[in-house]
Amino acid sequence: MSSDERIFKKFLEKGSISEQKKMLLEEKKCSDKLTALLGNYCIPIDNISESDGKIYAVYKLPKNVKPLSEIINDVSFSDCTMRVRLLLIKRILELVCAFHEKKWYCLSISPGMLMVEDFDIPMGNVGKVLIYDFRNPVPFESVNERHNFNVSNKYTSPELLIHSRYDESKSVSEKSDLYSVAKIAETIIGDFNSIIANGNLILLAMLRVFISTGKSPEPEYRFESSENMLSVFENLIKENCFFEKNDYTSMFHQAYDNFFEWQECLISPDHLDKNMFEAALSNLEDQLLRVDIDKYRAEYFYKLLRELSNKYKNTITDEQKVRLAILGIRAKNNLGKSFDALEIYESVRDLETMLEEMAELSPVIASTYMDCYRYADAQKVAEENIIRLHNSNIRMEKKRILLGRSYSSKGCSMGFQHILGADESFEQALYFFNEKDNFWKEIFESRNLEDSDRLIKSLRSNTHITLFHYMQYACETRRKELYGALSDKYFIGKEWTERLKAYISNKDIWKNYYEIYILLKGIYCFYPEVMCSSAFYDEIQKMYDLEFEKEKMFYPLSLIELYLALIEIKVNGSLTENAEKLFKQALTHDNEVKKGNMNIQTAIWYRIYALYNDVKDETDKNKRLLKRLMILCRRFGWADMYSALEKDGKLIDFLRFEVC
C-alpha cells in the first residue's frame, strides 16, 4: 500500500454472514465494472475480507479523501462559505452526469455513499466527489428488473421507494437520481435563514426553485436530465459570484431572466460598492437608449436599483440620486406610468444644488406632464428650465443640447394647448441642435473621431425627434407647406411612395414605426392625390398583411393601423373589409387598456374606438365610451383630462395631437 493511502473498511448491518458475503461479492462486481467505465469517479472495492466472525469490504483510500457524511456532520461545516457549499453540490451533480452519460443510475444516492477529494474549508477547496458504495448503481436497461435496492426515507425518490417496497411495476428513471441530488443539496445548504442574513435574496429565490423542482414528488415536474440540472445550477454559482463581487448589473439581469418578482430580489450586501452601483446605472441607461428596448426589464432593473439606493441613501451621491431618478422616469414613461414618474420627480426636486442634473431632468419631466394631459405644467417646466439654462454656467456644449430639448418640450406643450407661437420654440430647438453650426464644427475639430461621431449621432437623434413633433404640430394646425418643408429634412427619399417603401422594406420594421406613422398621417391630412395614386395605394395594401412586431414596441402601431384604415376609407369612399380589419387590429394592441389601467395611450385607444364608431354610423356608442373614459380619469386622478372631456363632450376631435 502506498504511503499516500489508508485502509477503509465497510461493514454491512443486515443479514447473515453468508448473505452479507454474497451481497459484497455482487457489489465488488459492480465496483469493478464502474471503475472500468468511469474510474475517476469511483473508489473501487479492493477486496472482501473476513475476521472475528465479520465480513467486510476493504478500500485503499487516498489520504486526501473524506466521507461526505462526515464532512456535513462536522461542527466546522457551519463555517463553510456559500461558495464552497455550492461547489460541493456541483461536484455531486458532475458525478451523477458522468453516471448517466455511461447509461448507469446511481439510485438513492446519499452522503453515506460518497467521498470528497481535497476538501478544505479554510482554503475553500472542493475536489472531485467519488462514489464508494456500489449496492444501488444499475444500468439503465436493468433498472426495472431489480427490486432489492438499499433505500432511505430521506434521500430516496418516492417512485424508487414504491418500486422497492410496495409495487415492483412502478417505473424508475434517471429522474430518481435528480430527486436525491436535490435532497442532498438541501442538506448541504442548511438553514435558509443564513442566506437571508447574508443579504442575497436572489440566490435564495433561485435555490428554492432549484430544490423544489429537483425534489418534486412527480418525476415529470423535475429537471429534464442531469445535464439540464447541472446547467441550471451553474447559474446559481454565477449568481453567488456576482453577489461576492457586488456585480449588481449581472444579478438583476439574472433575476429578471429567471422570472422572479422584483420584491423577491432585494439584495442587502454588507456595503454598497459605489463603482458597481455606477456601472449598474450606466447599464440601465444603455437599456433605455436601445431601439429595441425591453421596457419591462428596464422598469424591473430600476426598481431594484431604487431599493438598493434607499438602503444606502447616505452612501450614494446627490448626482447619482438625480441620475437614477432620470432613468426611473424614462423607464416609467416607456410603460405609460406617468404618475409613477412624477412621484420619482417629487423625491428629488428639492436637490436644487444639482443644477446640471436638474436641467437635464426637466425636459423629461415636461414630457411626463404631457403624458398626463397636464400641458400647462409641461410648458411651465420647460420655460423655467430655459431661464435656468440661460443663466447657468453649465458648459456651452451641454447647455445647447439641454436648451434644444427644453425648447422642443415647450413647442410640444404649446401645440397641445393650441397656443400660437409654438413654431418659434421648435425652430429654436432645431437651431441649438444644428450640427452644421460653427459652434458645433469647432467642437468636432477639438475632439477625437469617436467622440465627434457620438456627439453627431446625439444631435441628429434630437433633431429627428424635434422634427417629428414639429410635423405633428403642422398636421394639427393644417399647414401643408410647413409639413412639406419639414418632411424633406425628416424622411429618406424624395417621393412619398419611395419614402414609404424605404421604411416598410426594412427587415426590422418596428424600428420605423414612428416614421411610418407620421408619413401616413401627413399623407392623410395634406395629399389626397398621393393617397389615391395607384403606386402609393398599392404599397399601403402590402402593409395590411405585414406581421407587425407587437411585443417589442407596439406603440404607435395602433396609430399606423388607424391611418391605414382612414386612407383605405378615403380612397374607396366607404368602410371596406380591410378598413374594418385595420380598425379592429388598432384596438387590440394596448395591454394597459386590457388591464384597466390609465395612461395617455388609453385615451388614444378611446379616440380610435370613437372614430371606428363614427365611420360605422354608430356614434351613439360614443356617449358610453366618453362616460367610461371620464370614470377612468376620475379613478386615476386625471383632473385636467376629465375637465376637458366634460367641457367638450366629444371624443372624435379629442387628443388629435396624438404623440408627445
Side-chain angles (χ1 to χ4, degrees), residues 331-469:
K332 295 292 186 181
N333 281 346
N334 282 331
L335 290 168
K337 298 181 178 180
S338 306
F339 278 72
D340 287 355
L342 291 175
E343 281 185 20
I344 298 171
Y345 173 58
E346 291 297 327
S347 70
V348 295
R349 69 183 304 175
D350 293 333
L351 298 174
E352 292 297 334
T353 55
M354 307 302 298
L355 177 61
E356 186 168 337
E357 286 73 21
M358 295 306 291
E360 186 173 350
L361 179 58
S362 291
V364 181
I365 289 301
S367 176
T368 305
Y369 275 129
M370 284 186 270
D371 280 345
C372 295
Y373 204 81
R374 293 170 62 177
Y375 303 131
D377 289 331
Q379 184 181 349
K380 181 181 178 183
V381 167
E383 289 174 344
E384 287 176 350
N385 204 42
I386 289 168
I387 295 170
R388 181 190 295 125
L389 285 164
H390 279 302
N391 294 329
S392 74
N393 294 320
I394 297 174
R395 69 186 190 280
M396 187 56 68
E397 173 189 336
K398 185 72 171 283
K399 181 188 287 191
R400 285 180 66 119
I401 291 174
L402 294 177
L403 278 168
R405 290 175 182 170
S406 298
Y407 274 113
S408 184
S409 297
K410 182 183 176 183
C412 283
S413 59
M414 291 173 70
F416 275 117
Q417 298 173 86
H418 307 289
I419 296 174
L420 296 176
D423 306 52
E424 183 180 342
S425 294
F426 283 124
E427 291 295 341
Q428 280 284 84
L430 294 172
Y431 163 74
F432 285 117
F433 294 143
N434 183 7
E435 66 185 90
K436 296 178 182 178
D437 186 272
N438 286 331
F439 170 81
W440 288 116
K441 288 181 180 179
E442 290 177 12
I443 292 289
F444 300 150
E445 289 171 3
S446 66
R447 298 287 182 84
N448 62 47
L449 187 61
E450 186 177 337
D451 283 346
S452 295
D453 285 346
R454 190 181 298 113
L455 186 53
I456 289 171
K457 286 178 182 177
S458 173
L459 291 170
R460 288 178 181 173
S461 174
N462 281 297
T463 299
H464 199 67
I465 293 168
T466 300
L467 284 170
F468 172 83
H469 292 310

Side-chain angles (χ1 to χ4, degrees), residues 178-243:
L178 309 188
Y179 179 94
S180 299
V181 171
K183 292 293 287 184
I184 296 173
E186 191 172 36
T187 302
I188 290 172
I189 294 300
D191 186 1
F192 279 180
N193 287 327
S194 63
I195 306 175
I196 296 171
N198 192 36
N200 192 355
L201 295 192
I202 299 176
L203 177 64
L204 176 65
M206 294 176 74
L207 271 169
R208 280 177 169 159
V209 171
F210 175 83
I211 290 172
S212 63
T213 303
K215 67 174 190 177
S216 171
E218 295 296 330
E220 61 189 287
Y221 297 121
R222 295 175 202 154
F223 295 98
E224 294 175 5
S225 64
S226 52
E227 288 88 352
N228 172 237
M229 193 175 189
L230 177 58
S231 174
V232 171
F233 194 76
E234 292 279 9
N235 287 328
L236 275 76
I237 293 176
K238 286 180 185 176
E239 168 57 36
N240 189 63
C241 183
F242 296 150
F243 185 77

Side-chain angles (χ1 to χ4, degrees), residues 295-307:
K295 297 177 287 187
Y296 298 99
R297 181 188 293 270
E299 185 195 30
Y300 183 96
F301 207 90
Y302 162 72
K303 286 177 178 177
L304 289 175
L305 276 177
R306 178 195 63 198
E307 294 302 316

Side-chain angles (χ1 to χ4, degrees), residues 419-616:
I419 296 174
L420 296 176
D423 306 52
E424 183 180 342
S425 294
F426 283 124
E427 291 295 341
Q428 280 284 84
L430 294 172
Y431 163 74
F432 285 117
F433 294 143
N434 183 7
E435 66 185 90
K436 296 178 182 178
D437 186 272
N438 286 331
F439 170 81
W440 288 116
K441 288 181 180 179
E442 290 177 12
I443 292 289
F444 300 150
E445 289 171 3
S446 66
R447 298 287 182 84
N448 62 47
L449 187 61
E450 186 177 337
D451 283 346
S452 295
D453 285 346
R454 190 181 298 113
L455 186 53
I456 289 171
K457 286 178 182 177
S458 173
L459 291 170
R460 288 178 181 173
S461 174
N462 281 297
T463 299
H464 199 67
I465 293 168
T466 300
L467 284 170
F468 172 83
H469 292 310
Y470 202 176
M471 291 165 75
Q472 281 271 41
Y473 176 69
C475 288
E476 296 311 318
T477 52
R478 295 295 184 264
R479 294 162 68 185
K480 180 177 179 180
E481 288 185 9
L482 177 60
Y483 179 88
L486 295 172
S487 68
D488 290 337
K489 299 175 183 178
Y490 185 79
F491 294 120
I492 299 169
K494 295 182 179 179
E495 300 298 326
W496 292 109
T497 305
E498 178 189 352
R499 289 169 174 174
L500 184 62
K501 278 183 179 179
Y503 293 123
I504 65 175
S505 62
N506 189 336
K507 181 182 176 182
D508 296 323
I509 189 172
W510 53 269
K511 292 181 179 179
N512 303 125
Y513 278 179
Y514 280 90
E515 287 84 353
I516 294 170
Y517 157 62
I518 197 61
L519 186 149
L520 292 174
K521 183 171 183 176
I523 294 293
Y524 178 76
C525 290
F526 301 123
Y527 301 99
E529 70 283 1
V530 174
M531 190 167 36
C532 296
S533 69
S534 59
F536 187 82
Y537 185 59
D538 287 347
E539 284 303 316
I540 68 164
Q541 283 184 305
K542 294 176 186 177
M543 296 176 68
Y544 296 169
D545 297 320
L546 279 178
E547 187 59 39
F548 286 109
E549 176 58 70
K550 301 176 180 65
E551 294 300 323
K552 288 184 180 175
M553 190 190 293
F554 62 79
Y555 196 73
L557 177 54
S558 57
L559 292 171
I560 290 174
E561 289 169 331
L562 166 66
Y563 282 98
L564 285 173
L566 293 175
I567 291 172
E568 171 75 13
I569 293 169
K570 198 91 162 184
V571 170
N572 293 282
S574 62
L575 179 64
T576 64
E577 184 178 338
N578 278 329
E580 187 152 13
K581 177 183 174 185
L582 288 162
F583 262 116
K584 288 178 179 178
Q585 287 177 194
L587 293 168
T588 58
H589 301 320
D590 200 322
N591 291 325
E592 297 303 308
V593 175
K594 294 174 188 175
K595 294 174 188 175
N597 294 337
M598 180 66 194
N599 57 34
I600 202 69
Q601 294 171 23
T602 308
I604 292 171
W605 183 90
Y606 274 90
R607 178 176 177 262
I608 293 172
Y609 209 148
L611 287 167
Y612 181 41
N613 289 336
D614 188 54
V615 298
K616 290 195 301 178

